[in-house]
Amino acid sequence: MPPYSLRWGIIATGSISSEFARDLLVDPATRGVSDISHNISAVGSRSVASAQKFINSLSSASPSEGWKWGVENGKLEGIRACGSYKEVYDDPNVDVIYVSTPPSAHHQNVRDALLAGKHVLCEKPFTFDLEELDELIAIAKDKNLFLMEAVWTRFHPLAAEVAKVINSGKLGKPQRFSADFSMDWKPDNEPASHRMLDPALGGGSLLDMGPYPSVWAMLLVQQNPHNRDQDPQVLFSHQTLYERTQIDLNSRWLVQWKDLCQGLLLSDLSAFGQREATAVLQCEEGDLLSHYPPYKAETFSIIPRPDRFAGSITQKTTHHHPIAQGNNGLSYEADEVARCLRDGKIESEKMPWAESRIVQGWFDVVRKQGPTPLANVKGTAGQ
Ligand SMILES: NC(=O)c1ccc[n+]([C@@H]2O[C@H](COP(=O)([O-])OP(=O)(O)OC[C@H]3O[C@@H](n4cnc5c(N)ncnc54)[C@H](OP(=O)(O)O)[C@@H]3O)[C@@H](O)[C@H]2O)c1
């Protein structure tokens, strides 16, 4: 049977769009995939020159670059450069839109794409607030269209292996959890207009980096067979204000899974995270540690508890599950979108709306309790 072939439209020509587009063009066989094929039919930008530049850069891949395969195998055939996002939504040769604009624009872009009848994969954070997300889910349901948050980490080889450990039960009942995405990004060296520093674009550590400790909260605790709490709540939070641009320099929030455990989640633009313990699940029999970076972890360890409190795990083991060579790691989520569409699904079981809603709800609580001007801002739902 020939592979299921999906035609992508890409919205915005920023940095992650470029990585994503390249991954669409990598030979799926490099990651052991034979049932899916990706094509890029249109690229939309606020400027047609930028869309054309983006396409030119894709087309001119050098022989050593992984995505050269797609260029040589017709995966860009007929691609259009569009000077507006709307032209891409309206393109009959596009099946699905990848949205990678700044967070403050996601709701409007996704809504426009859905209302034009297109399926959507939208970058994290899904939206600015939960009300926006609920509106998008309602439209997707109403129009029977696929919608997913692009949390690429969930589809990486390591995530599947971690799930096997969690589901095996060998770690026992969780007792405590922590997860972190922190980087020494040196914000003072960046212009105030950078999207990470501009509150009007949804800047700050919470919305940009918060999705990653949240990935691990979902994979290690929410989906843990011991968990019964479908609505884990934030007990308290703290944000540090970055005076120069009024975004949060860091955020910390404590989540309670009823009758199970608590978890501390951290994001930070001014300090490094720990190399071998970016996410930590401590359980009755032993601990699981996922290594840095939390967005693209390739190694995890299982380690015994201290001697005095020893559980059944007695030896440290380290497990390495790399991203396939030549891929940036974004191809896996694209394959999931294609498989869902092929199978007539409007929601991914691996990245369900319910889990995006939990995380978006946490962000709302932390943001509203924080000192930044975003605390009092409402999203664009209903507008
Ligand atoms: N999955 C990941 O690993 C990952 C990594 C980085 C970022 N992200 C997420 O992806 C999204 C985009 O991030 P990025 O790093 O690619 O950002 P970026 O490089 O700043 O690109 C954003 C693009 O959005 C478009 N845009 C539309 N309205 C804009 C406005 N008012 N101001 C600035 N740009 C505007 C621009 O494209 P045009 O000029 O072509 O319209 C711009 O190039 C964010 O939600 C971010 O959190 C995900």
Side-chain angles (χ1 to χ4, degrees), residues 32-241:
V33 168
S34 57
D35 58 332
I36 297 300
S37 159
H38 300 287
N39 302 275
I40 309 178
S41 299
V43 174
S45 169
R46 293 167 302 168
S47 123
V48 72
S50 180
Q52 191 58 58
K53 192 170 160 211
F54 185 93
I55 293 170
N56 294 347
S57 150
L58 285 177
S59 312
S60 60
S62 71
S64 63
E65 284 161 328
W67 76 93
K68 178 83 175 167
W69 179 88
V71 180
E72 289 178 339
N73 284 273
K75 304 298 176 188
L76 292 178
E77 217 165 271
I79 188 169
R80 287 176 59 224
C82 303
S84 74
Y85 300 159
K86 185 175 183 314
E87 282 173 69
V88 183
Y89 307 147
D90 291 341
D91 188 333
N93 293 317
V94 167
D95 304 311
V96 60
I97 307 281
Y98 170 67
V99 171
S100 64
T101 48
S104 57
H106 288 180
H107 169 255
Q108 185 166 5
N109 298 151
V110 174
R111 189 176 56 182
D112 290 349
L114 291 169
L115 291 176
K118 293 296 194 273
H119 306 287
V120 177
L121 173 68
C122 176
E123 265 304 336
K124 42 57 64 177
F126 215 151
T127 49
F128 178 73
D129 64 20
L130 186 55
E131 232 181 304
E132 289 185 345
L133 176 53
D134 282 342
E135 189 177 278
L136 298 179
I137 293 170
I139 298 172
K141 281 183 183 165
D142 183 52
K143 294 191 142 288
N144 199 31
L145 290 166
F146 180 81
L147 175 64
M148 186 177 101
E149 185 180 8
V151 186
W152 59 327
T153 317
R154 307 268 296 231
F155 305 98
H156 288 166
L158 182 124
E161 297 304 318
V162 162
K164 284 183 200 161
V165 175
I166 295 298
N167 290 326
S168 74
K170 72 182 189 190
L171 295 174
K173 193 172 173 190
Q175 294 185 315
R176 206 162 70 142
F177 168 75
S178 62
D180 178 25
F181 180 21
S182 297
M183 53 183 179
D184 195 2
W185 191 66
K186 309 214 183 307
D188 292 350
N189 298 344
E190 298 294 336
S193 57
H194 193 291
R195 74 159 179 86
M196 295 275 281
L197 298 181
D198 184 352
L201 298 179
S205 86
L206 176 70
L207 289 180
D208 190 78
M209 301 163 79
Y212 291 111
S214 306
V215 170
W216 295 97
M218 292 298 126
L219 295 177
L220 299 179
V221 189
Q222 188 63 30
Q223 296 177 6
N224 197 294
H226 291 277
N227 179 39
R228 300 278 170 274
D229 187 353
Q230 296 310 310
D231 190 19
Q233 296 291 320
V234 174
L235 293 182
F236 61 82
S237 68
H238 170 80
Q239 292 190 300
T240 300
L241 185 69

